[in-house]
């Protein structure tokens, strides 16, 4: 396609055009899609409200661009290759023609159950092809999907259903993840006790886990699709109609429903996918992210399908049945492009090369990294042992809110440098600012990463609360989108993300709000107060350190800690379980009652020499106590 960059000169030229004439630049790219009615205008925006609109008055359906558009040329090509949890079980392949049919059938099933344009539908499923089918079927009929990661607890699920006011849940009886069987339907049932908006629950049978059926509410997937036609006209959507909501953690306890709309998201998902990974027709592409996260939305489902790629979906985990599973799958399916998270790389590195050696890995052409900073050592291990020093690594920086990759090398085109996300994609204008918001010009600077111009797939609002979106992203620095990340720009103008500067932590690549974890811990009846901070962790990037105050002294500290872990699993999900729990008598608070997290962070990092000024604390003695009991 015309808009695929093929060398560094073209990148520079495209970047320049995108700065000088952004509307013409995006107009040309958007022209490659099927629009039911072309837009009148490319862009209107202001970052104060914020109010951003792309491809104004355009009418389209994203699934026509993911599916129908490819039928004539790629109908018999695999759209999805699915690798099950168990090595002995048969992989499944679904061609574009079959995927189109199954999406239409399930879309008709949703309609039969009363779903219509604008309804919110929650999807809480294992990594099976039906998850992709469910997502696309929602988009087909104009329903807004709200995918919740299958590892979240009933409470997190309930919060996300309530906030989005969903009417339908699509789930499965259970999930196979490694050696574990996870009872998804039971979690849904518990969540729905507090979700009166839900009218129907569609249940896919995936495991043999038993579950309860609520008459009149629950329906089996296979029954729902019975007699449904494979003909389903795609709903006409406006460019700015909502496509999906995806919840992400913030500094406050309540997750934010990030809203993405149809036209801009489509254009950017496709453009960024093709350019970053340099996808060639016929290649097998594998993104290991769960669809419950943004990476799974944009680079497992939408981006690859828009580009007519073959996308691999894996049900299991990297260490089951052993730590060679990823490499086994790469050889088995001749994967050309492999996209994963630094945590996975570090944990597999720690298992030793014996798990890598049996595999050839010679189909690989491009490697990708996402979700957290990749340290130099992990980058080099990945480059040498997986990429055999011939595969470019794209270290892709982006966020749930950005919808697509904003800063990244283009595979094989941009010269890479370990731990640098390198350069912005065309159309993306990053700036670094100091704490006061002054823009730092030139190279060799470090500050807070902001974006000063809109891009098509950017967040439009936070569901049900636009003010929250404004405050979170557009209020810190006037006329800038603030990412929450710290960043350096080196002498070559390359960007290196240094990590979060707010109260969220990236644990194994998952974004978790410290306030959310504290709320979960505080559900334990014996806990009066808690404070959670991150500490550097060799494998997970960041670990979770919880300081807790207990109401009555408990002699059985060990049991108390186990109970706290169980409480966090119950109220949030096991991904949020603290690595370290220290029981303390008090927390370092200012006279106005604010916890000084800076001090706790230093203690958690074992940087006791740099605690800073503690004289403004209400009771400086607590610091000594905490230091004495710190866990290192
Ligand atoms: C972090 C994930 C360094 C960053 C797509 C960002 C990264 C947050 C990178 C968003 C990277 C993502 N290098 N840090 N290549 N990619 N991050 O919303 O802190 O789950 O703000 O989206 O992940 O996390 P989210």
């Amino acid at each position: 396609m015309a808009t695929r960059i093929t060398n560094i000169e073209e990148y520079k030229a495209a970047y320049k055009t995108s700065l000088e004439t952004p509307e013409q630049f995006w107009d040309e790219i958007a022209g490659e899609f099927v629009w039911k009615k072309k837009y009148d205008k490319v862009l209107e925006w202001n970052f104060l409200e914020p109010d951003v609109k792309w491809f104004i008055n355009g009418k389209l359906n994203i699934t026509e661009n993911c599916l129908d558009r490819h039928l004539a040329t790629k109908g018999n090509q695999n759209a999805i290759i699915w690798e099950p949890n168990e090595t002995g079980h048969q992989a499944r392949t679904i061609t574009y023609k079959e995927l189109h049919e199954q999406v239409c059938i399930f879309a008709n099933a949703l309609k039969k159950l009363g779903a219509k344009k604008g309804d919110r539908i929650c999807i809480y499923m294992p990594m099976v092809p039906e998850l992709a089918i469910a997502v696309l079927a929602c988009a087909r009929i104009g329903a807004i999907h709200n995918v919740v990661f299958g590892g979240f607890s009933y409470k997190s699920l309930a919060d996300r259903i309530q906030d989005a006011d969903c009417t339908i849940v699509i789930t499965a009886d259970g999930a196979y993840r490694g050696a574990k069987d996870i009872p998804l339907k039971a979690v849904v049932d518990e969540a729905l006790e507090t979700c009166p908006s839900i009218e129907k629950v569609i249940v896919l049978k995936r495991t043999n886990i038993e579950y309860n059926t609520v008459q009149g509410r629950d329906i089996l997937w296979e029954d729902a699709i019975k007699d449904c036609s494979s003909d389903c006209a795609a709903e006409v959507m406006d460019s700015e109609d909502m496509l999906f909501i995806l919840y992400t953690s913030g500094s406050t306890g309540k997750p934010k429903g990030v809203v993405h709309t149809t036209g801009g998201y489509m254009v950017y998902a496709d453009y960024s996918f093709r350019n970053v990974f340099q996808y060639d027709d016929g290649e097998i592409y594998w993104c290991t992210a769960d669809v419950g996260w943004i990476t799974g939305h944009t680079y497992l489902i939408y981006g690859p399908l828009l580009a007519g790629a073959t996308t691999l979906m894996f049900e299991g985990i990297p260490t089951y049945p052993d730590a060679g599973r990823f490499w086994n799958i790469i050889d088995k399916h001749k994967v050309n492009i492999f996209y994963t998270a630094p945590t996975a790389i570090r944990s597999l590195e720690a298992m030793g090369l014996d798990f890598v050696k049996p595999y050839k890995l010679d189909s690989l052409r491009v490697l990708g990294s996402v979700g957290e900073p990749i340290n130099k050592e992990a980058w080099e291990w990945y480059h040498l042992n997986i990429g055999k020093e011939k595969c470019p690594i794209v270290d892709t920086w982006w966020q749930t809110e950005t919808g697509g990759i904003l800063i990244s090398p283009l595979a094989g085109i941009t010269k890479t440098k370990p731990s640098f996300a390198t350069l912005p994609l065309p159309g993306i204008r990053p700036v670094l600012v100091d704490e006061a918001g002054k823009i730092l010009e030139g190279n060799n600077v470090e500050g807070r990463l902001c974006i000063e111009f809109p891009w098509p797939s950017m967040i439009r609002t936070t569901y049900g609360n636009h003010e929250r979106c404004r405050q979170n992203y557009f209020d810190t620095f006037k006329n800038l989108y603030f990412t929450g990340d710290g960043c350096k720009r080196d002498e070559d103008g390359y960007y290196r993300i240094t990590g979060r500067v707010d109260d969220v932590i990236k644990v194994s690549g998952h974004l978790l709000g410290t306030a959310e974890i504290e709320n979960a811990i505080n559900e334990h009846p014996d806990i009066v107060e808690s404070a959670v901070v991150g500490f550097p962790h060799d494998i997970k990037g960041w670990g979770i350190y919880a300081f807790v105050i207990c109401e009555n002294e408990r002699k059985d500290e060990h049991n108390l800690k186990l109970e706290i872990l169980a409480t966090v699993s119950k109220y949030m999900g096991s991904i949020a379980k603290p690595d370290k729990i220290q029981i303390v008598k008090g927390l370092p608070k200012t006279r106005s009652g604010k916890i000084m997290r800076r001090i706790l962070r230093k203690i958690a990092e074992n940087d006791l020499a740099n605690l800073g000024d503690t004289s403004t604390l209400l009771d400086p003695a607590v610091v000594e106590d905490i230091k004495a009991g710190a866990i290192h």
Side-chain angles (χ1 to χ4, degrees):
M1 281 201 213
T3 55
R4 157 110 175 246
I5 292 162
T6 59
N7 59 53
I8 195 75
E9 294 313 319
E10 280 178 20
Y11 162 75
K12 287 181 187 157
Y15 195 76
K16 188 158 172 278
T17 310
S18 77
L19 294 189
E20 289 167 357
T21 50
E23 301 197 15
Q24 283 98 310
F25 175 80
W26 288 112
D27 186 30
E28 193 193 330
I29 294 164
E32 294 179 349
F33 295 86
V34 177
W35 296 86
K36 288 175 186 283
K37 175 185 160 289
K38 186 145 192 229
Y39 41 86
D40 304 328
K41 198 175 168 201
V42 174
L43 171 66
E44 273 177 13
W45 68 287
N46 83 64
F47 275 0
L48 296 175
E49 302 276 345
D51 184 12
V52 176
K53 294 191 187 83
W54 281 90
F55 310 113
I56 294 148
N57 290 328
K59 305 289 173 200
L60 74 156
N61 187 292
I62 194 169
T63 68
E64 286 191 332
N65 286 282
C66 288
L67 303 170
D68 307 58
R69 174 167 71 126
H70 302 310
L71 293 181
T73 50
K74 294 185 168 170
N76 295 322
Q77 179 198 303
N78 285 334
I80 298 178
I81 298 176
W82 177 71
E83 172 71 19
N85 185 57
E86 297 297 330
T87 39
H89 293 184
Q90 184 92 37
R92 254 169 86 185
T93 55
I94 302 173
T95 64
Y96 270 93
K97 191 161 163 286
E98 290 162 347
L99 185 60
H100 177 262
E101 257 171 38
Q102 293 184 31
V103 167
C104 287
I105 290 172
F106 193 64
N108 280 325
L110 289 172
K111 279 194 195 168
K112 209 168 67 180
L113 290 172
K116 53 184 192 312
K117 179 174 175 179
D119 286 355
R120 275 81 54 218
I121 296 185
C122 176
I123 302 178
Y124 186 70
M125 289 182 78
M127 285 283 285
V128 291
E130 285 77 6
L131 166 53
I133 292 168
V135 163
L136 294 164
C138 287
R140 188 78 177 179
I141 65 168
I144 300 161
H145 53 78
N146 171 13
V147 183
V148 178
F149 172 57
F152 274 124
S153 71
Y154 83 90
K155 181 71 173 51
S156 302
L157 176 62
D159 287 347
R160 287 158 173 76
I161 292 174
Q162 289 162 1
D163 192 71
D165 216 5
C166 297
T167 50
I168 294 181
V169 180
I170 307 169
T171 188
D173 52 353
Y176 294 131
R177 273 181 71 74
K180 284 196 202 130
D181 295 355
I182 299 162
L184 292 182
K185 175 61 167 58
V187 178
V188 170
D189 287 343
E190 203 171 356
L192 294 195
E193 284 176 16
T194 56
C195 300
S197 60
I198 295 295
E199 291 158 15
K200 295 283 173 204
V201 177
I202 303 173
V203 185
L204 178 79
K205 265 202 83 51
R206 168 65 193 128
T207 64
N208 292 317
I209 300 175
E210 290 197 9
Y211 63 92
N212 289 325
T213 299
V214 176
Q215 293 303 330
R217 187 195 73 181
D218 300 356
I219 177 167
L220 273 178
W221 178 291
E222 58 199 69
D223 292 336
I225 60 172
K226 229 176 244 159
D227 306 323
C228 286
S229 145
S230 60
D231 198 0
C232 178
E235 187 70 36
V236 180
M237 304 296 283
D238 186 89
S239 296
E240 284 300 332
D241 278 340
M242 281 185 204
L243 175 63
F244 66 85
I245 307 169
L246 183 60
Y247 283 82
T248 186
S249 297
S251 302
T252 64
K254 206 168 165 270
K256 299 169 284 206
V258 172
V259 170
H260 285 290
T261 56
T262 308
Y265 177 82
M266 171 182 79
V267 169
Y268 199 80
D270 175 70
Y271 180 75
S272 55
F273 173 78
R274 284 187 290 113
N275 279 293
V276 169
F277 298 104
Q278 291 287 304
Y279 181 83
D280 284 329
D281 267 351
E283 286 190 315
I284 312 292
Y285 162 88
W286 179 20
C287 164
T288 67
D290 193 285
V291 175
W293 309 106
I294 190 68
T295 308
H297 280 62
T298 309
Y299 298 111
L300 194 151
I301 297 184
Y302 285 115
L305 295 180
L306 285 163
T310 299
T311 180
L312 193 145
M313 186 176 194
F314 174 42
E315 185 182 31
I317 58 170
T319 48
Y320 180 82
D322 64 45
R325 188 67 191 274
F326 273 2
W327 324 129
N328 169 278
I329 295 173
I330 289 172
D331 273 10
K332 176 174 171 188
H333 295 290
K334 308 251 170 307
V335 172
N336 305 108
I337 304 174
F338 177 66
Y339 189 32
T340 196
T343 292
I345 298 165
R346 287 189 295 260
S347 64
L348 296 176
E349 175 185 356
M351 306 295 280
L353 279 178
D354 284 351
F355 290 102
V356 185
K357 280 188 191 132
Y359 304 102
K360 296 223 282 281
L361 304 176
D362 56 351
S363 56
L364 286 174
R365 189 177 64 80
V366 173
L367 300 176
S369 169
V370 62
E372 44 179 325
I374 177 164
N375 49 309
K376 200 159 177 280
E377 192 198 335
W379 195 100
E380 279 164 357
W381 185 87
Y382 197 31
H383 183 58
L384 176 66
N385 297 296
I386 307 304
K388 315 290 183 200
E389 291 180 294
K390 66 176 176 50
C391 301
I393 297 181
V394 289
D395 176 359
T396 62
W397 174 84
W398 60 298
Q399 310 180 292
T400 305
E401 295 85 347
T402 69
I405 297 166
L406 299 197
I407 304 181
S408 168
L410 307 184
I413 293 175
T414 316
K415 199 166 169 293
T416 58
K417 219 189 257 188
S419 78
F420 282 80
T422 74
L423 297 170
L425 264 66
I428 306 305
R429 300 191 200 173
V431 291
L432 302 184
V433 300
D434 67 14
E435 272 182 53
K438 190 168 101 26
I439 294 188
L440 306 168
E441 306 286 351
N443 289 339
N444 270 324
V445 285
E446 178 166 4
R448 286 155 193 241
L449 177 61
C450 297
I451 316 285
E452 63 172 349
F453 194 82
W455 63 99
S457 63
M458 69 184 291
I459 179 174
R460 298 299 196 271
T461 189
T462 41
Y463 192 79
N465 189 349
H466 191 64
E467 176 58 13
R468 192 161 177 209
C469 171
R470 191 189 68 79
Q471 274 184 12
N472 246 287
Y473 308 104
F474 298 92
D475 199 34
T476 319
F477 304 113
K478 199 170 168 208
N479 276 321
L480 299 176
Y481 165 82
F482 175 44
T483 64
D485 280 328
C487 182
K488 284 182 185 164
R489 187 166 52 223
D490 78 352
E491 61 281 3
D492 298 324
Y494 271 27
Y495 290 86
R496 177 190 184 166
I497 313 301
T498 51
R500 303 291 310 185
V501 294
D502 51 7
D503 284 329
V504 296
I505 23 182
K506 268 271 158 167
V507 180
S508 300
H510 301 141
L511 197 71
L512 301 175
T514 51
E516 237 178 306
I517 306 174
E518 289 162 9
N519 289 347
I521 294 174
N522 297 349
E523 292 286 340
H524 189 288
D526 288 347
I527 301 301
V528 203
E529 198 178 6
S530 58
V532 164
V533 297
F535 68 94
H537 188 289
D538 285 349
I539 304 283
K540 304 206 268 185
W542 288 90
I544 303 172
Y545 195 129
F547 300 89
V548 304
I549 304 177
C550 196
E551 192 162 32
N552 311 305
E553 202 177 322
R554 290 251 318 232
K555 298 267 175 305
D556 53 342
E557 237 184 53
H558 179 69
N559 287 339
L560 173 66
K561 288 183 181 177
L562 292 179
E563 288 166 24
I564 292 173
L565 294 180
T567 308
V568 172
S569 289
K570 178 169 165 197
Y571 287 96
M572 225 178 136
S574 56
I575 49 173
K577 283 198 297 200
D579 300 272
K580 296 177 182 177
I581 301 173
Q582 182 182 348
I583 297 161
V584 296
K585 292 205 181 70
L587 292 165
K589 289 190 179 171
T590 60
R591 281 177 229 283
S592 58
K594 210 171 160 276
I595 297 174
M596 284 187 86
R597 288 165 188 283
R598 172 178 59 78
I599 295 176
L600 295 176
R601 271 189 221 112
K602 291 285 174 201
I603 295 175
E605 286 171 22
N606 200 10
D607 186 8
L608 302 181
N610 292 305
L611 290 188
D613 182 15
T614 55
S615 64
T616 58
L617 290 177
L618 190 62
D619 177 11
V622 295
V623 175
E624 294 312 312
D625 251 14
I626 299 176
K627 268 162 67 179
I631 307 166
H632 296 298

